[in-house]
Amino acid sequence: GENVEQHPSTLSVQEGDSAVIKCTYSDSASNYFPWYKQELGKGPQLIIDIRSNVGEKKDQRIAVTLNKTAKHFSLHITETQPEDSAVYFCAASIRGADGLTFGKGTHLIIQP
Amino acid sequence: ETGVTQSPTHLIKTRGQQVTLRCSSQSGHNTVSWYQQALGQGPQFIFQYYREEENGRGNFPPRFSGLQFPNYSSELNVNALELDDSALYLCASSLEANRGRNGYTFGSGTRLTVV
């Protein structure tokens, strides 16, 4: 089955700086790659997603890039703010009924 | 538009007991998935229900079972609870017409503790 690796496990950046989280996946048939933000005591919230027919997608301060050949995708957050502090998860999916395979998460800490 | 609601929020059970967790899907969504999230880990896919039938399953034993009702709400049942079943159980809904690929909306979860 699919395996998703996520790095780093913890990332501390100064407020205003950029943060980058990277994920690799194992199954070349995966075609949907969402990113979730999870705050303490809450469920994961979708922040951005990308499909395998697109190389990059941007939504305000958040962007995701996908390299199908290398089987990796990355989350980029620019101009970080204190409210960006949370755990971020990447995931991959082949088809909806197979569910999402998640990475182990990145704890993003924004230092004031 | 209402989101995904789960009940109860917290639950303590004894090893060997059975538990039922409940989920109401987001308005307009007809597919429900369940995930188990151990402390410090990413969620793991348990199964998915569409049109009241299980149409996908992860690597979980048969003592994990579910139901989906005509109003698209769902239950997760776990029999013969083990200590390792202690986790946050998340319900996610989606619109199968998009094969779940327009995003899953997650609830806040049920924290199950097995003692």
Side-chain angles (χ1 to χ4, degrees):
Chain A
E2 175 64 281
N3 182 51
V4 176
E5 300 282 343
Q6 183 172 346
H7 299 281
S9 56
T10 303
L11 178 60
S12 181
V13 301
Q14 291 292 124
E15 182 179 347
D17 287 351
S18 295
V20 180
I21 303 170
K22 299 181 179 182
C23 289
T24 60
Y25 61 98
S26 61
D27 196 327
S28 56
S30 288
N31 52 29
Y32 175 62
F33 307 92
W35 286 88
Y36 285 86
K37 174 183 181 182
Q38 187 172 27
E39 297 174 309
L40 202 61
K42 296 184 179 180
Q45 177 189 10
L46 178 70
I47 56 172
I48 195 167
D49 58 9
I50 192 168
R51 288 165 181 73
S52 57
N53 59 346
V54 175
E56 184 174 357
K57 184 176 178 180
K58 189 174 181 181
D59 182 4
Q60 299 182 3
R61 298 187 296 111
I62 295 173
V64 57
T65 58
L66 171 65
N67 183 326
K68 287 188 295 182
T69 303
K71 290 189 283 189
H72 68 69
F73 55 115
S74 300
L75 177 71
H76 305 253
I77 305 175
T78 59
E79 300 172 11
T80 53
Q81 300 168 3
E83 53 265 36
D84 294 330
S85 294
V87 179
Y88 290 81
F89 291 97
C90 63
S93 171
I94 298 172
R95 67 185 190 107
D98 292 332
L100 296 169
T101 300
F102 282 84
K104 291 189 175 182
T106 296
H107 186 192
L108 177 62
I109 302 165
I110 308 300
Q111 304 276 11
Chain B
E1 177 181 277
T2 57
V4 176
T5 57
Q6 292 187 241
S7 63
T9 55
H10 296 82
L11 199 54
I12 299 175
K13 287 286 190 178
T14 303
R15 189 172 51 181
Q17 284 188 316
Q18 178 266 343
V19 69
T20 297
L21 310 181
R22 295 179 174 81
C23 171
S24 293
S25 60
Q26 178 171 310
S27 176
H29 285 183
N30 56 16
T31 302
V32 174
S33 308
W34 286 90
Y35 289 78
Q36 180 194 67
Q37 186 177 22
L39 206 58
Q41 301 293 316
Q44 280 196 293
F45 175 64
I46 302 174
F47 45 54
Q48 176 172 286
Y49 276 81
Y50 172 62
R51 291 184 174 175
E52 301 175 51
E53 292 203 359
E54 183 184 298
N55 73 337
R57 189 177 185 95
N59 189 26
F60 279 81
R63 60 189 185 85
F64 285 79
S65 63
L67 285 171
Q68 186 182 30
F69 300 100
N71 65 353
Y72 307 128
S73 66
S74 177
E75 288 183 352
L76 165 66
N77 299 291
V78 187
N79 293 323
L81 284 167
E82 301 176 359
L83 297 179
D84 284 349
D85 294 334
S86 296
L88 180 68
Y89 287 84
L90 295 163
C91 172
S93 71
S94 61
L95 186 57
E96 179 59 21
N98 293 314
R99 297 182 59 78
R101 289 185 287 170
N102 252 14
Y104 296 82
T105 302
F106 280 84
S108 293
T110 294
R111 172 71 62 186
L112 173 65
T113 302
V114 183
V115 296

